[in-house]
């Protein structure tokens, strides 16, 4: 009997030696020969991240589909569940820790701005099965009928905007706020990094902790935030303080014009990039739009990979194991995309994540390119498909959500939304006066 364990072509990024070292370091190497050795269970969990619509036995069938002529075990659902319990959470977390990072080289386009690695922090939630164990850990969120929906696990991540790779991620109950979880990401920040955040992340303690690592910040401020004017720059921005942190406040009016109409909004940004000559205000305002790359990363995780499904696991340890496997698979796909984009000299923004995912699934089912040659091809089949199906250079587009039918009181009638995309033009007007500022000291 052969115990298979691979990730198709992605095995070159997660090689056998890496998995074995992680298992040894966590003390999870099996004590005796089993039909499902620890290494195989790791690859099974990673493969499950590629096939989120299937149960573990369905994933197993795809894992062994390309092993024609070999005798392979046919584990039961119970055997897989017990093997996952023996493995535990630690090996998947350690594997994610090994692979997380920007994945960008010196030639990778679109990853840095003025020698700073552009990153973003934000949070999201995922649905988990409504079991007593999961509910006991996560609780249930309130609704019209007191308790509603599935339990939610909250995920907070630090993402490199240029490659959409994950630098770090943490998770916990939804009752923990995004800024609370974000403090656990601070050790992964440092000198040479710019961290973007929305209005939720403008709290003084978090900003002080981030800048204490040597990283710079660029966050949006709430409209009622008082910011004293210490010095006004020629471009209309001014030096101020948030707690004891010196920041530069930039106020602007952003207008988006499309064939569907015009919309204007006032943005107030605070940054530790206080040199107005080295860091022009107009460029900083445009750069802040990169914060949405983390939203795109979450979309790829929750919609493209998960398909908006509920996670599989029935217990908190199983959920943690599954989330680390999902994050690892996402990261591995992003590494493969970045390798191919850098080899071709194109911006990773033009790479289709969906193309990479579907090609990786095909390669796993075929058990193709599991063993690499002495010369490593950074592009490979996955990268080749991505490069053959490059997206056009990114243009400014907006997708106003127009309700086509009012939300019915009946649960089976869903809200329909028009997601028509419009070409847009952006107009930025720097404001020299800020009505929310307090008088100069």
């Amino acid at each position: 009997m052969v115990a298979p364990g691979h990730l198709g072509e992605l095995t070159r990024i997660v090689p056998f030696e890496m998995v074995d070292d992680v298992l040894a370091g966590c003390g999870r190497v099996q004590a005796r020969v089993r039909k499902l050795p620890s290494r195989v269970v790791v690859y099974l969990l990673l493969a499950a991240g590629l096939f989120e619509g299937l149960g573990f036995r369905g994933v197993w069938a795809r894992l062994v589909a390309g092993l024609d002529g070999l005798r392979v075990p046919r584990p039961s659902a119970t055997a897989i569940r017990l093997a996952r319990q023996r493995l535990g959470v630690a090996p998947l977390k350690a594997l994610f820790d090994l692979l997380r990072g920007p994945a960008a080289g010196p030639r990778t386009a679109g990853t840095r701005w003025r020698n700073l690695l552009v990153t973003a922090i934000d949070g999201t939630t995922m649905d988990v099965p409504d079991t007593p164990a999961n509910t006991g850990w996560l609780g249930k969120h309130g609704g019209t009928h007191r308790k509603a929906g599935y339990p939610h696990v909250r995920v907070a991540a630090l993402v490199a905007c240029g490659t959409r790779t994950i630098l770090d991620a943490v998770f916990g109950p939804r009752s923990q706020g995004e800024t609370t979880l974000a403090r656990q990401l601070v050790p992964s920040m440092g000198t040479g990094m710019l961290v973007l955040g929305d209005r939720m992340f403008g709290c003084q303690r978090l900003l002080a902790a981030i800048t204490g690592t040597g990283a710079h910040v660029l966050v949006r401020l709430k409209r009622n935030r008082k910011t004293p004017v210490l010095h006004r720059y020629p471009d209309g921005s001014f030096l101020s303080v948030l707690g004891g942190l010196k920041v530069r406040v930039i106020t602007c009016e952003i207008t988006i014009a499309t064939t569907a109409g015009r919309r204007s909004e006032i943005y107030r940004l605070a940054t530790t990039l206080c040199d107005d000559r080295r860091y022009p205000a107009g460029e900083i305002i445009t750069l802040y739009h990169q914060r949405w790359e983390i939203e795109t990363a979450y979309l790829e995780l929750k919609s493209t990979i998960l398909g908006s499904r509920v996670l599989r696991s029935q217990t908190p340890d199983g959920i943690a194991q599954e989330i680390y496997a999902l994050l690892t698979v996402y990261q591995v796909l992003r590494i493969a995309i970045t390798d191919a984009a850098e080899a071709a000299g194109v911006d990773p923004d033009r790479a289709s994540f969906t193309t990479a995912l579907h090609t990786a699934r095909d390669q796993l089912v075929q058990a193709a390119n599991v063993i690499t040659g002495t010369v490593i091809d950074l592009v490979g089949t996955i990268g080749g498909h991505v490069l053959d199906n490059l997206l056009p250079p990114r243009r400014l587009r907006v997708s106003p959500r127009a309700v086509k039918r009012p939300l019915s009181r009946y649960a089976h009638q869903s809200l329909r939304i028009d997601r028509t995309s419009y070409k847009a033009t952006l107009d930025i007007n720097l404001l020299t006066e800020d009505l929310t500022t307090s008088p100069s000291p």
Side-chain angles (χ1 to χ4, degrees):
M1 301 283 283
V2 175
H6 66 90
L7 202 59
E9 185 177 273
L10 295 177
T11 310
R12 69 174 179 83
I13 300 174
V14 194
F16 306 133
E17 296 82 5
M18 178 185 290
V19 175
D20 289 344
D21 286 346
V22 163
L23 291 170
C26 296
R28 288 296 187 270
V29 179
Q30 65 279 351
R32 61 186 177 86
V33 178
R34 298 178 180 272
K35 289 183 178 179
L36 290 175
S38 299
R39 181 208 283 179
V40 174
V41 180
V42 171
Y43 282 112
L44 174 62
L45 286 164
L46 296 178
L50 291 175
F51 296 96
E52 281 291 342
L54 302 176
F56 280 102
R57 293 196 71 192
V59 176
W60 180 267
R62 280 153 180 76
L63 198 65
V64 302
L67 304 178
D68 295 333
L70 299 178
R71 295 181 60 206
V72 295
R74 297 176 179 271
S76 64
T78 299
I80 293 175
R81 175 174 57 82
L82 294 175
R84 290 183 61 196
Q85 291 176 357
R86 288 193 300 269
L87 182 69
V89 179
L92 275 301
K93 182 181 186 304
L95 191 60
F96 171 67
D97 285 338
L98 275 177
L99 291 165
R100 62 185 175 91
R107 296 185 301 162
T108 308
T111 59
R112 292 181 175 272
W113 177 77
R114 296 186 177 267
N115 294 323
L116 294 172
L117 178 67
V118 182
T119 68
I121 51 173
D122 207 351
T124 190
T125 58
M126 295 181 180
D127 295 336
V128 306
D130 191 358
T131 64
N134 288 339
T135 303
W137 172 42
L138 299 170
K140 293 288 288 292
H141 64 281
T144 305
H145 303 288
R146 294 184 183 178
K147 300 295 182 182
Y150 292 99
H152 287 168
V153 59
R154 188 185 298 280
V155 180
L158 174 67
V159 168
C161 295
T163 57
R164 293 188 210 134
T165 48
I166 302 174
L167 306 182
D168 201 357
V170 293
F171 52 88
R174 184 180 177 178
S175 57
Q176 289 185 301
E178 292 181 356
T179 55
T180 301
L181 284 175
R183 291 190 184 101
Q184 301 177 44
L185 302 173
V186 171
S188 296
M189 304 173 189
T191 303
M193 183 181 295
L194 175 62
V195 182
L196 312 182
D198 65 13
R199 286 170 287 192
M200 290 295 295
F201 297 94
C203 56
Q204 297 173 10
R205 287 186 179 181
L206 179 59
L207 294 181
I210 294 173
T211 55
T213 68
H216 286 285
V217 295
L218 172 59
V219 296
R220 187 178 179 187
L221 298 178
K222 294 181 179 180
R223 292 182 180 179
N224 59 352
R225 189 72 172 267
K226 299 297 183 181
T227 50
V229 179
L230 303 182
H231 170 72
R232 193 171 292 280
Y233 296 103
D235 60 10
S237 63
F238 59 88
L239 186 66
S240 188
V241 289
L242 293 178
L245 181 66
K246 283 192 174 184
V247 296
R248 180 178 166 207
V249 176
I250 303 171
T251 305
C252 64
E253 181 182 46
I254 297 179
T255 301
I256 297 178
T258 72
T259 53
R262 295 169 62 88
R263 178 183 175 184
S264 297
E265 188 170 353
I266 302 296
Y267 272 66
R268 299 178 64 236
L269 306 178
T271 180
T272 51
L273 302 173
C274 295
D275 188 333
D276 62 314
R277 295 183 179 180
R278 186 176 181 182
Y279 307 109
E283 290 187 24
I284 290 177
I285 295 168
T286 302
L287 179 69
Y288 184 73
H289 185 70
Q290 292 291 313
R291 192 197 71 78
W292 286 97
E293 296 296 347
I294 192 170
E295 304 287 359
T296 303
Y298 284 144
L299 180 68
E300 292 166 346
L301 268 168
K302 297 171 62 176
S303 182
T304 307
I305 294 181
L306 272 174
S308 302
R309 299 181 184 88
V310 180
L311 297 179
R312 302 180 180 89
S313 302
Q314 307 293 305
T315 64
D317 282 349
I319 291 296
Q321 190 184 63
E322 189 175 351
I323 289 176
Y324 279 123
L326 181 64
L327 292 173
T328 300
V329 165
Y330 171 84
Q331 180 73 0
V332 168
L333 285 167
R334 275 284 155 204
I335 291 172
I337 288 171
T338 304
D339 285 347
E342 184 173 359
V346 301
D347 194 318
D349 275 349
R350 297 188 58 194
S352 167
F353 185 82
T354 301
T355 297
L357 174 63
H358 288 308
T359 308
R361 287 171 174 170
D362 292 342
Q363 294 293 289
L364 184 140
V365 171
Q366 299 167 17
N369 301 323
V370 173
I371 306 297
T372 59
T374 55
V375 178
I376 298 177
D377 181 6
L378 291 178
V379 175
T381 303
I382 296 172
H385 279 72
V386 168
L387 295 177
D388 287 343
N389 295 275
L390 287 175
L391 302 174
R394 182 173 295 186
R395 294 174 294 168
L396 181 65
R397 301 180 77 87
V398 294
S399 298
R401 296 185 175 187
V403 178
K404 290 296 186 181
R405 183 176 62 189
L407 183 63
S408 169
R409 59 178 175 167
Y410 299 105
H412 69 275
Q413 291 185 338
S414 61
L415 180 68
R416 294 179 60 190
I417 294 175
D418 179 11
R419 298 181 182 274
T420 305
S421 182
Y422 297 89
K423 294 181 181 179
T425 59
L426 182 68
D427 180 46
I428 298 173
N429 180 29
L430 277 168
L431 302 181
T432 57
E433 297 294 334
D434 189 333
L435 299 180
T436 62
T437 58
S438 57
S440 303

